């Protein structure tokens, strides 16, 4: 007997009303009619009620088609996701990498990949355990079965993992966390002492002062000799965006023209940029500024080699001081009058350092966070060390050196990428003193893109460790006081250059995420929350307008410790990237307060006529050719700058790990665990892709 196909229950029926009446007909040729009520026969006929087997088949086929389409969409989605990951890891956003470069994986990122795989495996066990109600090892309600009670292999594996975690994994993590917490507290005490010293300087209004008017003389004929001979150097390399601003600012310095010489030290390998810089130098030379252009064919030693080559010129012997400005720095016209007089009647003074101020500090979130760090560096670290120790690290620019101090300290050396810190340490070992002027500010730029910022931070953190290896014997055998040696070794190098990135990376980027999978190694709340927030408040005090960004600052600084730790290790052990110099990309921002530069540009047409009158035909043809090349140069397009996803995801990872440690007792451990696993996966993929690129 064929099965009956009753599809009547597939469609809803109206509720029956009234008493059903059945009418039977004796004639078999008539159909049986069932009437539900007295008005049923007069209702309109519903065509949809007449479903047959053919229509039902079409409905089933339609549903099957939709199901197959959904599966195909899911398959295409996962295929596209895998393709994106492949591009991210191998091609780095459609840019093919050489096969030999892909094989050069660094140890740090190999460890990160291994840690990523292990973490995801443990995460799978944690999810299954939570769904089965096993929870934690120390849960009193957790039933640990005996060998006779084991119901499945997965349960046995999980219980074994709990035992191994509690007996073998948690103890070393706890020991390492205690060591890092001790370093964290030492560094926090150092920051607090520096902040208290800054408050004392503000309260007592302590700052270097110039007694009287150093340029005033009763002898009118000999008054010009009150101005010492000053050499100004502008080292640059392929600085198309900012060369004009820096040369223009230095050309307007308020100093006697016959006692000032400007050296434009160009290491550019792009001929078009060389022509543009030559044209700018020629323009200011025609205006009466004593300025010369120097170009090296071989860029050996980077910036240190450039400065060393310039100082070897014979005419430099006639000058007493040298001021150095990087290509993006724009000093005020009175810069030399605010700095050079401090050398008068102070023969032990070797360096006068001015403070940086940033024209693009409000450009994006990255520039705001950099402004917080650099404001604390200058106003707190540099100022306190300058007032109480007469020593700090030279910033490489916006400073004036006594040439005698440079020569007696050995001059510029090409052995590291932090030639500024190198010469400062050697000058300090030779007994020279430094002065920091917090009131004298020089306009400059901070990197607006993460790539430029990361490369800058790599150089700033790998160079000091490389220098520490080279300078340690000289520091130990020097004749300076023991407390000065201790300050150089323990505070200047170890605490602020080595310990800081080490504990930041280990404590907040390794141990804190590990607490997701090893609850026995839980960190105290004051380590996760209270002390870091308090230290962040101290860091933001020099820039009070940045208080709304305290949370992104705290998270981003911890995530950047990955880059800083990698750089520190490469510098300490002299790995391949420890002597890598990449010029920081500039955007060429101009300041609204730079009125003199804007007025100079407005009068460009008027000055061009004077230049042509005093130039020969060959010079005019050269200037016209350079002008045409400058006009034909492509106009730089402003790029949209964003902080990379890995920094934000790792920041949220640390934040949720902290919150999870506070709320795990309330039963929300599982949800934070899932979120942390996803974010950690994104972080691992981005870090691997960055390393391969």
């Amino acid at each position: 007997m064929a099965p009956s196909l009753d599809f009547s229950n597939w469609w809803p029926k109206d509720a029956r009303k009234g008493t059903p009446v059945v009418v039977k007909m004796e004639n078999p040729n008539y159909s049986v009619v069932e009437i539900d009520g007295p008005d049923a026969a007069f209702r309109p006929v519903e065509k949809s009620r007449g479903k047959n087997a053919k229509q039902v088949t079409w409905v089933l086929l339609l549903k099957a088609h939709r199901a197959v389409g959904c599966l195909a969409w899911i398959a295409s989605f996962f295929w596209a996701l895998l393709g994106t990951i492949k591009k991210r890891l191998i091609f780095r956003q459609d840019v093919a990498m050489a096969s030999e470069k892909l094989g050069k994986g660094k140890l740090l990122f190999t460890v990160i990949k291994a840690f990523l795989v292990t973490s995801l495996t443990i995460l799978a066990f944690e999810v299954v355990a939570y769904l089965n109600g096993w929870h934690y090892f120390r849960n009193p309600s957790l039933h640990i079965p005996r060998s006779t009670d084991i119901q499945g292999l997965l349960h046995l594996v999980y219980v074994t993992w709990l035992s191994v975690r509690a007996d073998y994994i948690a103890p070393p993590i706890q020991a390492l966390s205690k060591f890092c917490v001790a370093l964290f507290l030492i560094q926090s005490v150092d920051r607090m002492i520096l902040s208290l010293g800054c408050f004392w300087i503000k309260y007592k209004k302590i700052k270097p002062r110039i007694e009287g008017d150093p340029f005033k003389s009763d002898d009118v004929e000999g008054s010009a000799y009150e101005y010492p001979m000053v050499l100004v150097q502008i080292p640059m390399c392929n600085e198309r965006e900012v060369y004009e601003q820096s040369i223009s600012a230095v050309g307007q310095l308020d100093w006697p023209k016959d006692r000032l010489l400007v050296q434009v030290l160009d290491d550019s390998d792009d001929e078009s940029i060389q022509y543009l810089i030559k044209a700018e130098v020629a323009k200011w030379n025609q205006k009466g500024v004593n300025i010369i252009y120097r170009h090296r064919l071989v860029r050996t030693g980077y910036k240190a080699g450039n400065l060393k080559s310039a100082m070897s010129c014979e005419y430099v012997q006639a000058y007493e001081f040298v001021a150095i400005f990087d290509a993006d720095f724009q000093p005020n016209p009175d810069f030399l009058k605010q700095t050079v007089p401090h050398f008068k009647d102070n023969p032990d003074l070797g360096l006068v350092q001015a403070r940086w101020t940033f024209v693009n500090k409000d450009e994006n979130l990255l520039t705001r966070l950099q402004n917080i760090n650099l404001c604390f560096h200058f106003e707190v670290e540099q100022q306190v060390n300058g007032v109480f120790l007469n020593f700090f690290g030279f910033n490489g620019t916006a400073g004036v050196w006594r040439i005698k101090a440079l020569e007696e300290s050995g001059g510029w050396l090409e052995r590291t990428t932090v030639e500024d810190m190198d010469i400062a340490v050697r000058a300090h070992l030779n007994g020279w003193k430094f002065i920091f002027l917090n009131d004298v500010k020089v306009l400059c730029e901070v990197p607006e893109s993460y790539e430029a910022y990361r490369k800058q931070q790599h150089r700033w953190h790998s160079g000091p460790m490389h220098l520490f290896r080279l300078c340690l014997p000289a520091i130990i055998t020097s004749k300076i006081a023991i407390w000065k040696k201790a300050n150089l070794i323990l505070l200047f190098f170890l605490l602020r250059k080595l310990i800081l990135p080490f504990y930041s990376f280990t404590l907040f980027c390794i141990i804190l995420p590990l607490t997701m999978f090893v609850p026995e190694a839980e960190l105290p709340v004051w380590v996760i929350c209270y002390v870091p927030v308090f230290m962040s408040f101290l860091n933001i005090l020099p820039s009070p307008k940045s208080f709304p960004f305290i949370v992104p600052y705290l998270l981003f600084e911890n995530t950047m410790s990955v880059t800083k730790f990698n750089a520190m290790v490469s510098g300490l052990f002299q790995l391949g990237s420890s002597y890598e110099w990449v010029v920081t990309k500039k955007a060429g921002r101009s300041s609204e307060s730079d009125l003199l530069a804007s007025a100079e540009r407005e009068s460009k047409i008027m000055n061009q006529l004077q230049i042509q009158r005093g130039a020969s035909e060959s010079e005019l043809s050269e200037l016209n050719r350079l002008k045409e090349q400058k006009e034909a140069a492509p106009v730089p397009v402003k790029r949209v700058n964003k902080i990379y996803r890995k920094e934000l995801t790792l920041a949220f990872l640390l934040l949720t790990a902290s919150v999870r440690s506070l709320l795990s007792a309330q039963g929300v451990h599982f949800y934070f665990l899932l979120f942390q696993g996803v974010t950690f996966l994104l972080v691992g993929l981005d870090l691997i892709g960055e390393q391969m690129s």
Side-chain angles (χ1 to χ4, degrees), residues 286-554:
Q286 293 295 331
K287 292 181 180 181
V289 177
N290 192 11
I291 182 172
I292 60 176
Y293 174 86
R294 282 180 55 87
H295 178 264
R296 295 192 304 163
L297 297 178
V298 181
R299 190 191 175 207
T300 57
Y302 302 115
K303 182 180 176 181
N306 200 0
L307 295 174
K308 181 180 180 180
S309 175
M311 294 297 295
S312 63
C313 299
E314 295 183 359
Y315 54 81
V316 174
Q317 299 177 0
Y319 293 85
E320 187 176 357
F321 305 103
V322 55
I324 303 173
F325 300 101
D326 283 348
D328 59 316
F329 279 72
Q330 307 170 42
N332 293 327
D334 61 347
F335 175 82
L336 294 179
K337 289 188 174 181
Q338 291 182 315
T339 55
V340 175
H342 288 277
F343 290 96
K344 187 178 181 180
D345 301 329
N346 196 354
D348 295 333
L349 182 61
L351 169 66
V352 175
Q353 173 71 60
R355 179 178 175 173
W356 300 359
T357 183
F358 312 104
V359 68
N360 61 338
K361 62 182 179 181
D362 298 325
E363 182 67 21
N364 53 34
L365 179 60
L366 180 61
T367 58
R368 294 177 185 272
L369 299 181
Q370 292 179 75
N371 180 63
I372 295 174
N373 261 344
L374 293 173
C375 284
F376 182 87
H377 170 71
F378 286 108
E379 189 159 347
V380 179
E381 292 182 355
Q382 299 281 76
Q383 187 173 210
V384 171
N385 291 329
V387 170
F388 295 103
L389 301 178
N390 294 122
F391 168 72
F392 48 83
F394 176 46
N395 299 122
T397 178
V400 182
W401 276 94
R402 190 189 297 270
I403 295 181
K404 181 181 179 181
L406 291 176
E407 294 175 348
E408 292 186 356
S409 302
W412 300 105
L413 298 182
E414 306 170 5
R415 55 183 182 174
T416 66
T417 57
V418 285
E419 74 294 328
D420 46 5
M421 185 181 295
D422 188 2
I423 188 62
V425 171
R426 286 184 282 114
H428 181 59
L429 296 179
N430 280 272
W432 293 99
K433 298 180 179 179
F434 302 163
I435 285 180
F436 177 77
L437 302 179
N438 191 52
D439 297 333
V440 181
K441 301 178 181 180
V442 181
L443 279 176
C444 63
E445 289 186 19
V446 288
E448 296 182 5
S449 66
Y450 173 74
E451 279 298 327
Y453 176 66
R454 183 181 63 84
K455 293 176 181 178
Q456 181 195 69
Q457 292 300 307
H458 184 277
R459 175 165 51 88
W460 285 5
H461 287 81
S462 64
M465 287 295 95
H466 189 193
L467 177 64
F468 177 66
R469 290 172 55 97
L470 300 175
C471 287
L472 184 59
I475 295 174
I476 296 176
T477 59
S478 63
K479 298 181 180 180
I480 61 175
I482 297 180
W483 68 271
K484 291 185 178 181
K485 295 182 181 180
N487 173 69
L488 273 176
I489 297 176
L490 299 179
L491 296 181
F492 186 75
F493 279 111
L494 292 182
L495 183 60
R496 297 166 189 168
K497 302 298 187 299
L498 188 147
I499 292 178
L500 177 59
F502 170 76
Y503 87 76
S504 297
F505 173 75
T506 307
L507 185 61
F508 295 106
C509 295
I510 297 296
I511 298 178
L512 182 58
L514 274 178
T515 58
M516 297 187 301
F517 311 108
V518 187
E520 294 85 355
E522 202 77 41
L523 290 174
V525 178
W526 58 272
V527 174
I528 301 174
C529 181
Y530 300 148
V531 176
V533 170
F534 179 70
M535 290 295 105
S536 298
F537 271 107
L538 291 182
N539 291 349
I540 292 181
L541 284 180
S543 54
K545 294 183 179 180
S546 302
F547 267 101
F549 305 99
I550 184 171
V551 175
Y553 169 76
L554 177 62

